[in-house]
């Protein structure tokens, strides 16, 4: 016998598979749920089951949403002329939190990787090309991560779009608002220096 | 619009109420679940619903378990002569991980607190007294936390048990196995020094 038993133990093991939760924090989370079974655990289980059942990738942009069509593609107020290409739904959420982008998205769901057999087809790049034609897109913003794989993928997309009369941009690199130089990696500081502006 | 919508947003809000998970890590956890809806999210939701539905406090010791009686009170191999008093199910789990204790438990579910109107009744202390008689208990181990409230509660229980012919003990205080002195608080070091043994 070693701590919690049976279904409680299984629940802790499942919780420990979530990012940021190890065995210890999974145990604490389950304990909190056990203490608040009616107020927290039951509603959480219900909402999780609903989302697991009803969440779908949007056929247009790849965003994940619940209950039919993606809110962004369905919103009449969102500009159709601009597509922001992101690696992941997490990046789409981050862009939306910023609140500055009013266009639509294309979620790649990953980056090009020969090792993992992820090619342009897997990232929906033919679908992106079709959208550019169909939606009369004038600008594609490549908001990929500043990793080697992200930038390789960005360059591939930029090359593919060349000659199609669409403006290709990427997010500016620089010092984050409130960012302390001391905590930034050297690459960010160099990029910010190269892109320096008149004060 | 600010990031995820509707039910996904509600799920993130519920997850963020778990200890150790803020809004950011709740978002990452939900995203991971969305990516693994069949392999992780659906089984997690199902197990959580089962536990929420079936978990019960043991009427004897206060341990929480699923599906009827508490495994510890039901185990014929556990000694009935020793009761270990703990504040919380988390502490019971910690004791069981240690694996050294072969007796039974009494889970207080808290500590004495005038402010929160938690008295001996709320902690099941009359039930503990009844068990000591009924189960022929020879030793009560007070494994309460080394906080002011925990120690106040331990002293109250010790006084209540006085004159009932039961041995009252508490866990030894000292340096944890593998503990570096530099990282220990002064109280622990002082207690370990006072309880020093021949080398
Ligand atoms: Zn969409
Ligand atoms: Zn029990």
């Amino acid at each position: 016998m070693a701590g919690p038993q049976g279904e409680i133990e299984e629940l802790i093991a499942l919780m420990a598979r979530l990012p940021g939760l190890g065995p210890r924090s999974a145990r604490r989370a389950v304990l909190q749920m056990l203490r608040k079974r009616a107020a927290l655990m039951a509603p959480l289980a219900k909402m999780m089951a609903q989302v697991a059942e009803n969440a779908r990738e949007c056929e247009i942009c790849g965003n994940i949403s619940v209950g039919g069509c993606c809110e962004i593609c369905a919103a009449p107020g969102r500009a159709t002329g601009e597509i922001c290409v992101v690696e992941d739904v997490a990046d789409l959420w981050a862009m939306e939190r910023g609140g500055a982008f009013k266009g639509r998205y294309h979620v790649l769901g990953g980056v090009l990787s020969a090792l993992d057999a992820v090619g342009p087809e897997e990232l929906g790049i033919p679908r992106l090309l079709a959208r550019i034609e169909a939606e009369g897109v004038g600008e594609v913003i490549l908001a990929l991560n500043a990793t080697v794989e992200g930038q390789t993928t960005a360059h591939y997309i930029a090359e593919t779009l060349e000659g199609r009369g669409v403006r290709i941009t990427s997010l500016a690199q620089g010092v984050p608002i409130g960012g302390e130089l001391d905590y930034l990696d050297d690459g960010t500081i160099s990029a910010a220096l190269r892109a320096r502006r008149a004060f």
Side-chain angles (χ1 to χ4, degrees), chain A:
Chain A
M1 195 167 292
Q5 294 289 298
E7 283 159 310
I8 295 178
E9 200 175 6
E10 285 178 53
L11 180 59
I12 292 171
L14 284 167
M15 288 292 289
R17 289 174 53 194
L18 297 175
L21 283 167
R24 178 188 292 260
S25 44
R27 222 156 46 215
R28 282 174 51 223
V30 168
L31 201 80
Q32 177 74 344
M33 289 195 272
L34 285 171
R35 288 192 193 109
K36 303 190 170 188
R37 293 199 287 281
L40 178 57
M41 196 178 203
L44 185 54
K46 197 180 159 195
M47 191 57 73
M48 202 178 279
Q50 270 180 41
V51 172
E53 177 71 24
N54 300 319
R56 297 280 178 276
E57 268 93 22
C58 172
E59 285 177 19
I60 300 170
C61 77
N63 184 21
I64 296 178
S65 56
V66 171
C69 69
C70 150
E71 296 89 352
I72 294 173
C73 289
R78 305 283 303 215
T80 48
E82 294 170 17
I83 288 183
C84 178
V85 178
V86 290
E87 287 180 28
D88 205 301
V89 174
D91 302 322
L92 184 157
W93 291 354
M95 290 292 299
E96 287 296 293
R97 282 198 302 279
F101 181 65
K102 302 297 182 197
R104 309 201 169 195
Y105 291 93
H106 177 84
V107 182
L108 296 171
V111 284
L112 292 173
S113 163
L115 207 67
D116 299 322
V118 179
E121 196 69 53
E122 282 71 31
L123 301 183
I125 290 175
R127 189 159 45 82
L128 174 63
L129 296 179
R131 287 182 69 188
I132 287 168
E133 298 289 331
E135 299 176 18
V137 171
E139 181 174 352
V140 170
I141 301 162
L142 299 172
L144 303 196
N145 290 327
T147 57
V148 172
E149 298 78 12
Q151 291 309 304
T152 303
T153 306
H155 280 114
Y156 174 84
I157 296 172
E159 277 171 29
T160 307
L161 297 184
E162 225 165 81
R164 288 174 181 258
V166 55
R167 193 174 164 226
I168 303 159
T169 57
S170 67
L171 299 181
Q173 290 191 306
V175 178
I177 309 274
E180 293 178 61
L181 293 189
D182 201 21
Y183 289 91
L184 290 176
D185 68 289
D186 302 347
T188 300
I189 293 180
S190 306
L193 181 66
R194 282 193 301 271
R196 66 189 178 279
R197 305 178 305 170
F199 191 78

